[in-house]
Amino acid sequence: MAAVTTLYGREKEQRRLLQFLDRAAHGRPELVVVGGQTGIGKSRLLLDTAGHARRRGFTVHALGDADLHAPAPSRALRAALGAERPLFVIDDAGAKSAEALLSLVWEGRPASARPVPLLLARSANAAGPDLAAFPVWEDPRAEQAVPHTGLELEPLGEQAVRELVGGQLGVAPQPALLDVMACANGNPRLIVEFLEGLREEGRIGPDGDLVRLTPGRLPERVRAAVGGLLRDMSPESVQLLRVGTLLGRTFQLSQAVAMLNTSTAALLPALEETLAMGVLRLADDGITFEHPLLWRAVYEAIPAGLRGALLEEARVLALRSALPPQDLAVLGRGGAARRERPGPAGGGPASGGPAGTGGPGGRPGQPRA
């Protein structure tokens, strides 16, 4: 399967960043922070913008932690700061990295040099969709603060997903395959991993159709990728996700607190981590898994022996507990319906069947996965 070399569904963001380059070229630089969940395409958008910048005569400098936290700017970096048209780009930036970058620009820039445009992609574990985690960008030598804005990447829409899947396969995807792809909730990285996993297991036909779909069984490639994500998270966050997946795609924090025998205050760091990583999000009626795919993958990652005991506790606490549907197409269609339907994302039948079931036709606590 070909690597993703095209941006899909990001026309608005591309126009915004081209305007950013236009203003910088005319001596009106900005700080732009690109945010979004893990895998949403921040790095790919920065790469695209850097290519446009080079073609417009900018000298693009991609900085890393070693550059940002060095005791003093290197000679090459000082020269770059004084160049005619520099652009500094940093990917996966946390609040401390951004602060170090800004200090570096102000302290290392020659007095006669113009302000420098900065383009950052916020680290997935840097909390907040706005610039709250970053210091105000104000050059003490300037007459006024340099504008700074945030650019939050949303999940891909239906048409962009269809184009991405078609571009990866080389043929137009069939409706059943697109239903399954909806499990990834418009996340480009998850979509590509999901497609590659299905292809490796012979579950995509030559005409872009879905074949040999084992109900409720995610490709091993997806299971491994989600396992890696869980390994990067704190044990408390992993436990929160495990109990949450058994309480329903949308669940109450009080239910998780009861199952984990802890307090709300003690659980807040884990909640903040999962929210920042884009695994969970806050809804009007509780806490919900951002992606049906992750909801299902976390469920499958729970050891079978532990799962039974946890299910017994979940049934006591959650009157509308709903396990992930056994059929991945049903799971995907339920997730798509939640995205399209106005109002809060609930945990009712669209999220996995009637209360206490494992999907259509399943018995309580016994999904056919």
Side-chain angles (χ1 to χ4, degrees):
M1 190 171 293
V4 180
T5 58
T6 303
L7 274 173
Y8 296 93
R10 298 300 182 204
E11 293 81 9
K12 179 180 68 175
E13 291 83 359
Q14 286 176 296
R15 287 194 299 270
R16 169 67 185 85
L17 290 173
L18 290 178
Q19 292 167 357
F20 157 75
L21 294 178
D22 286 339
R23 285 189 284 271
H26 289 87
R28 302 192 304 276
E30 299 174 57
L31 163 64
V32 174
V33 180
V34 180
Q37 62 193 233
T38 301
I40 202 65
K42 301 185 295 291
S43 299
R44 183 66 188 81
L45 186 61
L46 258 63
L47 184 64
D48 178 80
T49 305
H52 283 290
R54 291 188 181 95
R55 289 189 289 274
R56 293 183 177 207
F58 286 89
T59 302
V60 179
H61 304 275
L63 301 181
D65 285 339
D67 300 303
L68 298 178
H69 299 290
S74 66
R75 180 178 300 178
L77 186 54
R78 285 183 179 276
L81 287 167
E84 176 64 24
R85 191 176 286 186
L87 171 65
F88 286 86
V89 178
I90 176 170
D91 199 359
D92 201 31
K96 291 184 179 179
S97 295
E99 186 175 4
L101 175 60
L102 299 178
S103 297
L104 181 65
V105 168
W106 303 147
E107 296 172 5
R109 182 166 59 91
S112 59
R114 295 188 301 179
V116 179
L118 306 177
L119 178 60
L120 313 181
R122 193 187 69 238
S123 172
N125 58 11
D130 51 28
L131 295 176
F134 297 90
V136 173
W137 189 25
E138 186 170 2
D139 186 350
R141 293 175 298 186
E143 295 182 358
Q144 59 184 7
V146 179
H148 59 283
T149 57
L151 187 61
E152 193 76 5
L153 300 188
E154 300 294 334
L156 296 181
E158 183 178 324
Q159 180 60 31
V161 170
R162 183 181 295 107
E163 293 173 356
L164 170 58
V165 174
Q168 290 293 102
L169 296 179
V171 296
Q174 300 301 313
L177 179 59
L178 291 174
D179 282 343
V180 172
M181 287 300 104
C183 292
N185 202 43
N187 184 291
R189 185 184 300 174
L190 286 178
I191 290 170
V192 171
E193 287 291 331
F194 204 1
L195 274 174
E196 184 66 15
L198 291 173
R199 187 196 64 82
E200 289 173 348
E201 297 180 9
R203 293 159 71 174
I204 299 179
D207 297 324
D209 55 337
L210 195 63
V211 297
R212 293 175 54 194
L213 178 62
T214 304
R217 181 74 175 182
L218 292 173
E220 185 58 38
R221 183 186 186 99
V222 174
R223 292 158 60 90
V226 174
L229 175 66
L230 296 179
R231 285 191 295 272
D232 290 338
M233 303 178 75
S234 68
E236 294 78 11
S237 294
V238 173
Q239 284 296 83
L240 173 61
L241 294 177
R242 282 177 169 175
V243 302
T245 196
L246 301 174
L247 292 168
R249 186 178 171 190
T250 298
F251 61 94
Q252 302 300 316
L253 183 60
S254 59
Q255 296 169 340
V257 166
M259 282 193 67
L260 293 170
N261 193 27
T262 185
S263 67
T264 301
L267 201 56
L268 285 180
L271 177 61
E272 290 174 353
E273 181 180 22
T274 55
L275 293 174
M277 294 291 288
V279 180
L280 299 178
R281 65 178 172 84
L282 298 177
D284 289 346
D285 53 350
I287 302 166
T288 190
F289 280 85
E290 184 70 46
H291 310 286
L293 182 64
L294 291 177
W295 181 36
R296 180 73 212 184
V298 173
Y299 173 82
E300 291 189 19
I302 301 174
L306 178 61
R307 189 187 299 164
L310 289 173
L311 280 169
E312 291 296 327
E313 294 184 36
R315 280 199 295 270
V316 173
L317 292 167
L319 297 178
R320 290 180 57 81
S321 175
L323 299 179
Q326 59 195 11
D327 189 314
L328 298 181
V330 173
L331 180 66
R333 285 195 295 268
R338 286 160 58 101
R339 287 182 61 189
E340 294 169 1
R341 185 171 59 245
S351 298
T357 72
R363 296 194 304 275
Q366 295 180 329
R368 291 181 293 169

